[in-house]
Amino acid sequence: MNDRNDIDSILNSMFSGGRLNIKSPAAKEAEKSLEAVQRAQEDMSQSLQKSIERMQADMADLERHLESDGVTPQASNNSGGADQLDAAFEKARAEVLSAVLGQEEFVNSLLLAFKRPFVAGSPDHLPLCRAALLGGDGTGRRSAVESFTASLGRQGVLKTPKTSHIDLSAYSAPGSEKLFIQDLFTALKGGAASLVFVNYQKCHPSVLPLVLAAFSTGSVPLPGRYAEQKGLLIDVGSALAPGAVSQLSVGGKYLFLLAGPDPLKLSGTFGSVFMAGLDDVLSTGDFSRESLVDIAELRLNELRERAGRQLSFTLGFSRPEAEALALKYTREQGAAAIGTAADVLYKAMSEEKLHRSLGPVDAVLKSGEGGLYVEYNTKGIQGRIMPSSPADTRNAAELAAVKEELSEITGLENVKEYVLSLEDNFRMQRLRKERGMKTETPSMHMIFTGNPGTGKTTVARIVARYLKAMGAISGGQLVEVTRADLVGQYVGHTAPLTQKAIQSAMGGVLFIDEAYSLYRGRDDSFGLEAIDALVKGMEDHRDQLVVILAGYSREMEEFLTANSGLRSRFPNIIPFPDYTPGELLEITGSIASRMGYRLDPSCHGPLIEYYTHQQISGDSRVNGNGRMARNIVEAAVIACSRRNMRANESERDLELLLPEDFNVEENYDELFKDI
C-alpha cells in the first residue's frame, strides 16, 4: 500500500499542472544516471581506441624490426618470372667469374647456394642459406660472396646488395658474448643480405655456441631481455619496456662461415651435427699456373687504368710481365699477394710523379732480375722506378742497425752466431711456405744462462728488436719481469698476474730475469702455479709471443725440472761465458768512452793483470762480468777528478784516465798479500 502511494507521488510530481515536469528531483536523478552511463561508454571507447593505436604502433615497430632482420615475405621471392630470375642469376654468375678468376667450379656451386631458396622456398624464421666455405686465404671466397650479393641486390633479386663481415677473432677474451651480440645486431640493423663469419678458430669458446645457434636455429639467444634504444641494443633486465626481445633473428639472411681447407678441423670445433645441418659445404681449389697469370693480367689492367686516370701514366705491358707478377702468389696470402704487388707498383709510380713533378708519362712495365720495374720517358727525362715496400725498407734499415749494435758488443761470439742464425732459419721456413712446401715454425723461446753482468739483458733487448725487424714478431717490445711480477700473495692471485704479464708482451718478448727464483721446491705452490700459467700461455700464443728466461746455469737446470713441459718449450739454451781479461779491458775502454773519458795506453797492462788475478782468485760470479769493469771505471773517474783538482790548471787533462786513477797495483797487492 505504501509502495503504491510512493509511485503515485512520483507521477504526480512529474505531471503536475497537466504536463510533464522534467525538472523534478526524480527526473534529475535519472538524467544524472544516464549521463554517467554515457561518460563511461565514452571513456571505454577512448581507452579501446588508444589500445588499438598502441597495438598498431607495436605491430609497425615489430614489422620494422623484422624487415631490418631481412624477414619479410618478399625476402626470398622475386617479382619476376622464372625466366627473369634465371637471367638475373646468370648475369650475377658472369660478373663473379670476371672478378674471381680460376675458381669456376666453386663459383658455380655458390650460385646454386644463392639460388636454392628461390626454387625450393625457405621458412621465414630460418636463414636463406647456411654454408661453410672451405679453402686457403686469398682464394676468392669473400670476393665471390660479395660479388654475388652485390649483383643480385642491384638487380632487385635481393633486398640489398650489402655484405657484412663479422671477424670472430675480435671476441677472443672471456665475456665477449655481449660484444658479439651488439656487433651482430649492428650488422642486422645495417640491412646486409649476406653475413660472413671469419676466424672462428680465434674466438673465445663461449662465443661459438652463439654462432652455432645462428646457423642451426636461425636465431641467437640473448643473455637477458633487451630492447632497442637509439639504435643500440640495451639490456633492460626485468624492467617493462616496449619491444623487449630475448633473441636476435637471422632469418632471411645468407650465412657463410669461412674455414680452412680441412673440414675435419671445422667439424672438430662445431661437431658433426652442425656439419650435417649445413645447406652447403663448398671448397675453393688450387689455382692453376694459367689462372694465376690471368689474375695477374687482370690486376695489371686495373693498374694501367688507375695510373692513366690518376697519374697520367700511359703504361704498357705484355704477357711476360703478367707471368712475373703471378710469381708473387703465395699459399699463405693467396692471390691477394698479386694484388698487393700491383699496389706497390702504383705506389712507386705515384711517389716518382710527386717527387719529380712529372707531367704526362709514357711508361713500360718490365721484368728484371730484381722483379718488376717501370721505365718511363717524358719531355726528354728518362727514369726507372724500382718499387719497394716502405715496410720492407724500414725493416731492412732496422735489421742493419740491430746487426751493427750486436757486432759492437764485446765478446759473446757464440751468442752472436746463434742470434744471427735465427734470421736464416726464419727466412728459409718462409721461402718453403711460399713455395707450398711443408714448414715447421721454429721455436724462438730461449734460455740465457750465465753469471750476472755478462750481457744477458742487453742481448735480450737486441733480440726483441731483431725478431721484429725480420718479421718474426709484430710488436718488438721487451717486457722485463721477475718473480715479484708473476707470483701473487694469496690463493688465486698468481695466475691472473702471470696472464697479465703475458698479455702485455703479446707480439713481443717476455724476459724473465732470475727465472729460477720461480721454483723454490715442490712446496712452493704459488711459484709452481706461475710456471704452469706461463707454460699454458706459451702454448696458447705460440705465434704471438717469445719468452726468454735468464739465470745461473746450475739453478736454471734445476728450474727446468719444475714442469714437465718446460724443457721441451725451450730448445734453445745459450750459455753466456764470463768475459776474458782482454774483453774486460775492451769493456773498460768502452764504458770510459761513453762517459767522456779515454784510457792512457799505460793502463792496459796493469788492468789486464788485475782482471786476470781477480778471475783466478775471486768469485767468478762477480769478477768475470761487465759490472766489475763499470765499478772500476766509476772509481777511476772520481780519482781522476780528485787528481786534476789538486794539479795546476796547466797540467790538467779532464778526459785522460791514468793507471794511478784505477789504483790497480794497490788493489792487486792487497788481494794477493797472503799468497
Side-chain angles (χ1 to χ4, degrees), residues 75-292:
S76 59
N77 292 303
N78 182 269
S79 57
D83 292 342
Q84 292 175 311
L85 194 62
D86 288 341
F89 275 100
E90 187 55 37
K91 181 179 180 181
R93 175 181 174 277
E95 291 181 3
V96 175
L97 285 175
S98 67
V100 181
L101 302 180
Q103 298 290 351
E104 185 171 359
E105 183 178 347
F106 170 75
V107 170
N108 290 337
S109 298
L110 188 60
L111 169 70
L112 297 179
F114 270 95
K115 192 174 183 179
R116 182 179 294 109
F118 291 87
V119 176
S122 176
D124 287 344
H125 69 282
L126 290 179
L128 297 177
C129 172
R130 298 165 292 185
L133 307 183
L134 310 184
D137 291 336
T139 53
R141 295 168 300 167
R142 291 196 198 195
S143 298
V145 171
E146 291 173 352
S147 297
F148 264 123
T149 306
S151 178
L152 295 173
R154 286 194 304 269
Q155 296 182 73
V157 178
L158 300 181
K159 289 186 62 178
T160 169
K162 184 177 180 181
T163 299
S164 284
H165 295 85
I166 298 179
D167 187 350
L168 296 174
S169 65
Y171 319 110
S172 59
S176 296
E177 300 94 317
K178 288 189 176 181
L179 178 60
F180 168 76
I181 286 170
Q182 289 287 357
D183 290 345
L184 178 61
F185 173 75
T186 301
L188 294 172
K189 286 289 293 181
S194 296
L195 298 179
V196 179
F197 297 84
V198 300
N199 292 325
Y200 75 89
Q201 69 277 16
K202 295 181 181 179
C203 76
H204 193 270
S206 61
V207 177
L208 291 175
L210 303 179
V211 179
L212 178 62
F215 274 78
S216 58
T217 68
S219 62
V220 177
L222 303 180
R225 295 175 68 254
Y226 284 76
E228 181 188 356
Q229 295 181 10
K230 297 182 179 180
L232 298 175
L233 199 61
I234 305 299
D235 187 351
V236 296
S238 58
L240 293 176
V245 293
S246 59
Q247 62 183 16
L248 288 180
S249 171
V250 293
K253 302 290 184 184
Y254 286 92
L255 303 187
F256 299 99
L257 180 66
L258 268 58
D262 186 359
L264 293 179
K265 290 185 178 180
L266 182 63
S267 177
T269 300
F270 288 99
S272 58
V273 175
F274 168 80
M275 298 294 290
L278 293 174
D279 300 312
D280 294 280
V281 177
L282 311 178
S283 298
T284 53
D286 291 333
F287 290 105
S288 66
R289 172 64 183 166
E290 190 66 21
S291 63
L292 287 175

Side-chain angles (χ1 to χ4, degrees), residues 281-413:
V281 177
L282 311 178
S283 298
T284 53
D286 291 333
F287 290 105
S288 66
R289 172 64 183 166
E290 190 66 21
S291 63
L292 287 175
V293 177
D294 289 340
I295 292 172
E297 193 164 22
L298 175 65
R299 298 294 170 255
L300 288 179
N301 281 321
E302 293 171 350
L303 173 66
R304 175 164 54 191
E305 181 184 348
R306 185 182 180 193
R309 181 180 67 253
Q310 188 69 30
L311 305 177
S312 298
F313 268 62
T314 302
L315 182 65
F317 68 89
S318 56
R319 189 72 173 177
E321 283 69 57
E323 292 171 351
L325 183 61
L327 295 176
K328 296 294 184 180
Y329 167 83
T330 66
R331 283 188 175 273
E332 182 179 10
Q333 294 180 292
I338 297 175
T340 300
D343 289 340
V344 170
L345 283 167
Y346 177 82
K347 177 69 173 177
M349 287 190 288
S350 63
E351 288 296 310
E352 186 81 359
K353 181 178 179 67
L354 175 66
H355 289 289
R356 302 195 65 174
S357 300
L358 300 176
V361 171
D362 289 327
V364 178
L365 185 64
K366 294 187 176 182
S367 176
E369 210 170 285
L372 291 169
Y373 63 93
V374 176
E375 285 188 349
Y376 67 88
N377 189 332
T378 176
K379 296 182 179 179
I381 300 175
Q382 293 184 341
R384 175 176 290 190
I385 304 171
M386 300 293 295
S388 62
S389 166
D392 290 342
T393 303
R394 289 193 300 270
N395 289 346
E398 176 67 12
L399 203 56
V402 172
K403 287 181 178 179
E404 183 178 356
E405 185 177 346
L406 187 65
S407 68
E408 291 175 353
I409 293 179
T410 301
L412 303 179
E413 298 306 323

Side-chain angles (χ1 to χ4, degrees), residues 589 592-599 637 640-641 654-657:
S593 177
R594 289 198 298 269
M595 296 175 68
Y597 294 85
R598 68 183 190 279
L599 298 183
V637 167
C640 174
S641 302
L654 305 184
E655 296 180 344
L656 185 65
L657 297 178

